Amino acid sequence: MRRPILAANWKMQKTRAEAEDFVEKLLPLIEATDAVDVVIAPPFTALDRVAEVLRGSRVALAAQNVNPEEQGAFTGEVAPRMLADLGCAYAIVGHSERRGLYGESDGFIASKAGALLACDIRPIVCVGETLDERDAGKTFDVVSSQLAGSLARVPDDRADQVVVAYEPVWAIGTGKTATPEIAQEVHGFVRSQLVDRFGPSGEQMRIQYGGSVKPDNVDALMAQPDIDGALVGGASLQPDTFARIVRFQPPGGAS
Ligand code: PEP
């Protein structure tokens, strides 16, 4: 049994006061939901404030990025041990916005994932194809090569601490969610790649879907056998919509 993991990626949104207000409203709404992992990734500037408000709750803190170096002359960057110091349990790496807008390569993403694990922070490693790649029939090739490259520095015995997020680029922030069947097809493929690479641990690794997840589509997505959670952008900005996503209804009963 893989424990579901629902994560909010706020991107470059929310001041400290707005972040604090969100968390204060969210916590009572998800109080009764203890069978899932909930993660919030605020911008760096709000990590400390959110950490304070989350103290004593079951919600984990995540960073949206990291630099793989330990320390040094890297202006504007943030090192893994700084994130550990703030209480981050997770960090997102390889988001398509970073791959696309900032040219991040699989090798760089692999270094980040390895450096995070060395500081006991769980990487959420994002992969996913563009619309052109999907239309050209290259989805599996792209995802397979991103997985191989981005997970290259994950030691076999740490694989179960890694979360993979399959986020088709054409579904991010567009309102076009992959149907549960399309998402499951790729998740099943990702699962097989993880098992090939890590053996039985690949069955334990959680695979999130990301791309316009909302209260009205989360239940059907989460009902798929290889969808273990969601990485949520737009719909994670309001406490009530994100709370409904956290309280997704599993097939045959309430969570
Ligand atoms: C994301 O940024 O990872 C994401 C999936 O965004 P959205 O939910 O807005 O599509």
Side-chain angles (χ1 to χ4, degrees):
M1 271 296 277
R2 294 179 293 266
R3 191 173 160 87
I5 177 167
L6 293 309
N9 174 17
W10 288 350
K11 311 191 185 190
M12 197 170 70
Q13 277 148 146
K14 295 195 190 293
T15 62
R16 289 174 302 162
E18 289 162 354
E20 180 171 344
D21 182 57
F22 174 101
V23 176
E24 279 170 354
K25 289 182 173 140
L26 176 75
L27 291 179
L29 297 175
I30 60 169
E31 222 168 27
T33 319
D34 56 8
V36 303
D37 287 341
V38 183
V39 179
I40 297 182
F44 285 130
T45 46
L47 282 170
D48 206 11
R49 178 79 69 93
V50 171
E52 261 173 51
V53 193
L54 289 181
R55 196 158 293 137
S57 79
R58 295 179 308 98
V59 178
L61 188 67
Q64 297 176 18
N65 187 24
V66 69
N67 186 286
E69 300 293 335
E70 270 178 47
Q71 59 181 4
F74 302 98
T75 302
E77 296 295 292
V78 176
R81 63 187 278 271
M82 298 169 181
L83 299 181
D85 183 46
L86 284 163
C88 288
Y90 295 85
I92 300 168
V93 296
H95 192 281
S96 62
E97 286 152 16
R98 298 216 59 88
R99 289 177 185 267
L101 297 171
Y102 304 104
E104 292 195 2
S105 66
D106 288 321
F108 191 42
I109 294 159
S111 302
K112 294 180 184 206
L116 286 167
L117 286 169
C119 281
D120 287 326
I121 298 173
R122 295 166 180 245
I124 298 176
V125 180
C126 305
V127 298
E129 81 287 2
T130 62
L131 189 56
D132 284 351
E133 290 164 342
R134 172 161 284 268
D135 287 346
K138 293 185 183 155
T139 298
F140 291 158
D141 288 347
V142 169
V143 168
S144 161
S145 119
Q146 287 177 339
L147 283 173
S150 306
L151 301 177
R153 291 177 185 231
V154 174
D156 288 358
D157 64 349
R158 306 291 300 279
D160 58 351
Q161 286 151 41
V162 175
V163 177
V164 172
Y166 167 61
E167 299 205 300
V169 180
W170 46 271
I172 296 182
T174 59
K176 286 187 205 155
T177 322
T179 62
E181 294 72 26
I182 289 176
Q184 169 56 32
E185 184 185 28
V186 185
H187 277 241
F189 174 75
V190 171
R191 175 80 56 216
S192 68
Q193 298 276 294
L194 296 178
V195 171
D196 283 354
R197 164 80 165 76
F198 296 110
S201 304
E203 291 287 356
Q204 306 308 316
M205 293 173 74
R206 293 177 294 179
I207 310 172
Q208 294 177 308
Y209 168 78
S212 299
V213 174
K214 297 191 175 58
D216 65 7
N217 58 29
V218 67
D219 299 343
L221 287 161
M222 291 300 293
Q224 299 299 315
D226 288 297
I227 300 186
D228 308 313
L231 181 55
V232 188
S236 76
L237 294 171
Q238 298 301 328
D240 54 341
T241 50
F242 186 57
R244 172 61 183 85
I245 289 169
V246 168
R247 296 190 319 248
F248 72 91
Q249 305 292 308
S255 68

